[in-house]
Amino acid sequence: MDGGPAAGAPAGLSDAEARARLERFGPNRVAPIREVTFAGIAKEELAEPMILLLFVVGVAYTILGELGDALTLYAIIATLVLVEIWTEYRAKKAISSLATLAAPATRVIRDDRVAEVPTEDVVPGDLLVLVPGTRIAADGRLASSVSLRVDESALTGESFPVEKAAGDDAFSGTLVLAGEGLLEAVETGVRARIGQIAKEAQEVRQPKTALQLGMKSLSRTLAVVAVLFSVAIPLA
């Protein structure tokens, strides 16, 4: 415990109420944290039918003694896969980074005292203590505000701080730059705005870039040509 709030401040939830709400609403997690690795994405890309077809044709060229053509195909496969891996890795890493926009612990008022609790244990109805440097742990409404300014760039991309008064909304993942206040948590976890963004980003497949589309088209053309040659060479 860090001591009591100022006289006249709200008492906050009791520990028993907080436990009951945690059971009801679940942990305050933005999104399931999925490990993003080059190896995992490489496995996905190597399972692409077109890549497998090119690889099979490359093996056929190798067996037929056409090592130059085989090496060319292997080089094309490597280039295609590396481009896909790098593009997918960056996109998925950006999505997974949303889950890290939370401090490990958050100061709240519980049982009429200020306590530091794991951020995952913050529940709707909690009163969050906001001071400079606080990473806000839930969407909510400000119960009080004194010269409060918040950096909302994680959500909006806006680089200028936003002034917040009592009654204004504030959002999970944003950062308090100046002032102080109390925020009554309304939405936590995947129900918070940043949780919804993370969820939608994981469900929607990233659109292919012009380079990726061009490489895909090239791989299809090469696959057709390679198959035709692999059939024609033994007949020659």
Side-chain angles (χ1 to χ4, degrees), residues 129-134 144-150 164 176-182:
V129 179
L130 307 183
V131 295
T134 299
S144 66
S145 172
V146 179
S147 304
L148 193 68
R149 290 190 298 162
V150 178
K164 298 285 186 178
V176 177
L177 298 179
E180 59 185 39
L182 289 176

Side-chain angles (χ1 to χ4, degrees), residues 76-126:
I76 291 169
I77 291 170
T79 302
L80 289 170
V81 170
L82 287 174
V83 169
E84 290 286 340
I85 288 173
W86 178 242
T87 306
E88 289 290 320
Y89 179 81
R90 287 195 305 170
K92 291 180 179 179
K93 199 70 175 176
I95 293 169
S96 67
S97 68
L98 291 173
T100 67
L101 288 178
T106 296
R107 296 176 72 205
V108 299
I109 297 178
R110 296 261 179 97
D111 284 322
D112 204 25
R113 296 182 66 82
V114 176
E116 191 170 89
V117 301
T119 296
E120 288 193 354
D121 290 350
V122 172
V123 296
D126 259 329

Side-chain angles (χ1 to χ4, degrees), residues 16-68:
E17 287 174 320
R19 285 193 297 271
R21 295 189 185 200
L22 184 62
E23 184 72 23
R24 176 183 174 188
F25 294 104
N28 181 30
R29 297 193 191 110
V30 169
I33 300 175
R34 300 175 183 175
E35 187 178 6
V36 179
T37 64
F38 276 104
I41 298 173
K43 185 177 179 180
E44 293 177 10
E45 295 302 328
L46 288 171
E48 286 279 338
M50 196 60 62
I51 296 297
L52 291 175
L53 177 58
L54 285 172
F55 183 75
V56 168
V57 173
V59 171
Y61 274 134
T62 302
I63 294 172
L64 293 170
E66 300 291 334
L67 295 181

